[in-house]
Amino acid sequence: MKLRILLAIAVLLTNLSLTAQRTVTPTELFSVQGKIKKERTFSLTTLDSFPKTAIKDQTLYNHKGEEKGTIKNMKGVLLKTILSSIDFDYDKPKELNEFYFVFIASDGYKVVFSWNEIYNTEAGNQFYIVTEMDGKVVKNMEQRILFISTGDLKAGRRYIKGLQKIEVKRVE
C-alpha cells in the first residue's frame, strides 16, 4: 500500500514538473483583432519594414525579483508605431478609456495592457516588438516574435516570447 502511494506521488510530481515548463513555439506573424475596424496581420517581413530603435540591455527578473538572465544588443519597433495602422472601433474618443489589449503567446501566456497605459503614459514609449537580439535578426531568433516592456521594474513578467495575437477588447 505504501509503495502504491509513493508511486502515485512520484507520478503526480513528474507530471507537474513536465507541465510547469512550457515550450514556446516560434511565431512567423501575429494578428491584431477584436474591437477594430479591420483585422491586421504583421509578418516578419512586415516588421522589417518599420523603423528600428536600439533597445538598452535588459535584465530579466521573475516575480520574486530573482535574476533570470540578460538580453543584449536588441533593436525593435515601438509598439505604438505598429498600432498606428489600426483603426479602433469606437464612436466617441472618451470610449478609448475602456479599451484594453490582451497579448497572447503561442504557449497561451497572456499579458494585459490598457489603452491609456500604451497611449497616455511614458510606459507606452517603452513597449517594443523585438526585431534583433544578440546579433540575430528576428527570423533567426529561437522564440520569435518577442515583445518587451523596457521600463518594468521586474522585466520578465511582461516579456512575451512567441507573440501570436493581440486582442483589442472593451470593458463591458
Side-chain angles (χ1 to χ4, degrees):
M1 183 65 166
K2 289 182 183 180
L3 184 57
R4 284 185 186 169
I5 293 172
L6 187 58
L7 185 57
I9 291 172
V11 168
L12 178 64
L13 290 176
T14 301
N15 286 339
L16 287 175
S17 69
L18 290 176
T19 57
Q21 296 179 356
R22 295 181 171 172
T23 301
V24 178
T25 304
T27 48
E28 303 293 323
L29 53 86
F30 68 93
S31 63
V32 180
Q33 53 191 247
K35 297 294 280 181
I36 59 178
K37 293 183 180 176
K38 182 180 178 189
E39 183 176 321
R40 289 287 315 269
T41 300
F42 297 91
S43 67
L44 299 178
T45 305
T46 309
L47 289 175
D48 200 37
S49 69
F50 287 102
K52 317 288 184 305
T53 302
I55 303 171
K56 64 181 179 173
D57 295 349
Q58 295 291 302
T59 302
L60 300 178
Y61 299 92
N62 66 13
H63 66 287
K64 295 179 182 178
E66 301 165 337
E67 188 175 322
K68 301 311 266 183
T70 301
I71 307 170
K72 298 180 180 183
N73 304 315
M74 290 184 290
K75 289 185 181 177
V77 178
L78 187 64
L79 176 66
K80 287 194 283 191
T81 301
I82 293 170
L83 293 178
S84 68
S85 64
I86 303 295
D87 290 321
F88 299 105
D89 190 8
Y90 64 93
D91 294 321
K92 298 175 186 171
K94 71 178 187 176
E95 294 172 2
L96 290 169
N97 291 323
E98 301 172 359
F99 279 56
Y100 64 98
F101 301 76
V102 181
F103 288 59
I104 303 171
S106 61
D107 66 352
Y109 187 73
K110 295 178 183 174
V111 176
V112 177
F113 297 91
S114 72
W115 185 90
N116 276 311
E117 184 177 10
I118 294 171
Y119 290 100
N120 199 24
T121 69
E122 182 56 35
N125 294 326
Q126 299 174 41
F127 298 157
Y128 293 95
I129 301 294
V130 178
T131 58
E132 190 174 319
M133 181 172 68
D134 292 327
K136 293 181 182 177
V137 294
V138 67
K139 67 180 180 182
N140 296 328
M141 295 185 320
E142 288 180 32
Q143 297 172 326
R144 65 191 172 272
I145 293 170
L146 303 174
F147 170 86
I148 192 163
S149 172
T150 61
D152 287 0
L153 299 176
K154 292 182 182 173
R157 303 304 308 149
R158 300 197 298 183
Y159 175 62
I160 302 169
K161 301 175 249 181
L163 178 63
Q164 189 170 48
K165 182 180 359 176
I166 299 174
E167 292 182 351
V168 180
K169 298 186 174 204
R170 184 173 174 190
V171 176
E172 299 295 328

